[in-house]
Amino acid sequence: MIGQSPVRTLIAHAVLIVGILIVAFPIYYTFVASTHTLQTILRPPLPLLPGGEFLRNYTEALFGGIGRIGGVGVGTLLLNTTIVAVGIAVGKIIISILSAYAIVFFRFPFRMTFFWLIFITLMLPVEVRILPTYKVMVDFGLIDTYAGLIIPLIASATATLLFRQFFMTIPGELVEAARVDGAGPWRFFFDILLPLSRTNIAALFVILFIYGWTQYLWPLLVTNRNDMNTIVIALRKMVSFADADTQWHLVMVTAMLAIVPPILVVVLMQRWFVRGLVDSEK
């Protein structure tokens, strides 16, 4: 352990505190705005202390419906976004872990060719394939459906690469021992690989959940009905070019509620997330 002088420690803590304040202040200011009336927000300067409209504003946003998005409540938007984010995260993990399992532990023609084809897709931006993908969704009647929101986004070359790299660290003796014990491919996968991969799965779930939660372009294209919007799309629709036409108190409430689920996922899975990123002892 390299020693640190008290002055350096004090400076380091001061820099961290300033950084936290810079990052946290906009979130605090948004929370403060979500507890005031629309008239207070439109009449600057906005107070730095919370107001007395917390329950009223949050109840109206969650259950009352918002006019600019067809009277849909934020509760519906949160449900849609949660289904999409969880579906994308779970779908990516399932497909990626099975792909990596096949590439590492099975021998079949063009095995590495298939892997490199998957890997090359990392160099293709989403915009390159978005029009043909949208055409497929239209042909299959998946516009304004959860399947249309989730299925095109569940393939992940990055997750496949990460699982492949981890599987390649598993000793061959473990595979041979499982084979001697009579374990077939599925038993080996479920009884040995999955338990060994749980920290990697947890870390990837956090990353992929946030990826799905913050999606904007694809949900914007594939949804027409307001009740199928995700919360990111709804936030954009709620903001008008004219301040007087925007219900800013409800916009701030929606913004605050939009960041709560990702924060909860990160906080609740923090230990697994860190272990999945830094733990090399499997």
Side-chain angles (χ1 to χ4, degrees):
M1 177 71 70
I2 299 177
Q4 289 285 347
S5 67
V7 175
R8 290 183 178 180
T9 302
L10 182 62
I11 294 175
H13 281 79
V15 172
L16 288 174
I17 291 172
V18 171
I20 291 172
L21 291 176
I22 293 174
V23 173
F25 182 74
I27 299 175
Y28 171 76
Y29 207 55
T30 302
F31 171 74
V32 169
S34 71
T35 63
H36 286 281
T37 62
L38 177 60
Q39 291 72 24
T40 303
I41 297 175
L42 294 177
R43 188 171 58 250
L46 182 69
L48 290 177
L49 296 177
E53 301 295 323
F54 176 85
L55 288 178
R56 181 176 178 274
N57 289 349
Y58 279 78
T59 302
E60 181 181 354
L62 284 169
F63 308 109
I66 300 172
R68 289 192 61 83
I69 53 175
V72 178
V74 178
T76 301
L77 302 175
L78 288 172
L79 176 63
N80 292 343
T81 315
T82 301
I83 292 174
V84 171
V86 173
I88 290 174
V90 173
K92 279 179 176 286
I93 289 172
I94 291 175
I95 290 179
S96 300
I97 198 170
L98 290 176
S99 302
Y101 177 54
I103 290 170
V104 174
F105 293 101
F106 289 85
R107 298 293 181 266
F108 52 89
F110 305 108
R111 176 174 60 94
M112 293 308 298
T113 302
F114 289 126
F115 168 73
W116 285 110
L117 287 175
I118 295 173
F119 185 75
I120 288 173
T121 61
L122 285 172
M123 292 177 267
L124 295 176
V126 175
E127 293 77 10
V128 171
R129 51 186 174 86
I130 203 162
L131 287 180
T133 305
Y134 180 79
K135 179 65 166 57
V136 172
M137 295 298 104
V138 172
D139 293 342
F140 281 94
L142 296 179
I143 301 298
D144 286 322
T145 64
Y146 291 124
L149 284 164
I150 295 172
I151 292 176
L153 300 177
I154 62 175
S156 176
T158 304
T160 302
L161 175 64
L162 292 176
F163 279 121
R164 174 183 178 269
Q165 295 304 111
F166 167 64
F167 289 163
M168 291 180 66
T169 65
I170 295 177
E173 293 81 0
L174 183 61
V175 181
E176 290 298 327
R179 185 178 293 113
V180 170
D181 288 342
W186 286 114
R187 184 180 174 188
F188 175 73
F189 177 77
F190 285 107
D191 292 350
I192 297 177
L193 280 187
L194 277 185
L196 291 175
S197 306
R198 62 184 182 274
T199 54
N200 301 74
I201 292 173
L204 278 172
F205 180 85
V206 174
I207 297 171
L208 297 176
F209 179 88
I210 296 174
Y211 165 83
W213 188 270
T214 56
Q215 281 296 306
Y216 177 79
L217 181 58
W218 180 248
L220 180 65
L221 289 176
V222 83
T223 56
N224 299 316
R225 290 169 24 208
N226 289 316
D227 62 335
M228 286 300 299
N229 285 158
T230 61
I231 200 163
V232 177
I233 302 301
L235 269 172
R236 176 62 188 89
K237 289 183 176 181
M238 290 168 63
V239 178
S240 173
F241 290 104
D243 280 351
D245 294 335
T246 302
Q247 296 174 294
W248 284 110
H249 59 305
L250 299 183
V251 172
M252 298 304 174
V253 170
T254 305
M256 287 303 303
L257 292 175
I259 67 175
V260 170
I263 290 176
L264 287 177
V265 169
V266 173
V267 170
L268 295 176
M269 301 188 67
Q270 180 181 10
R271 181 170 63 90
W272 292 95
F273 177 70
V274 173
R275 286 182 60 188
L277 293 180
V278 304
D279 188 8
S280 60
E281 296 181 4
K282 304 295 182 183

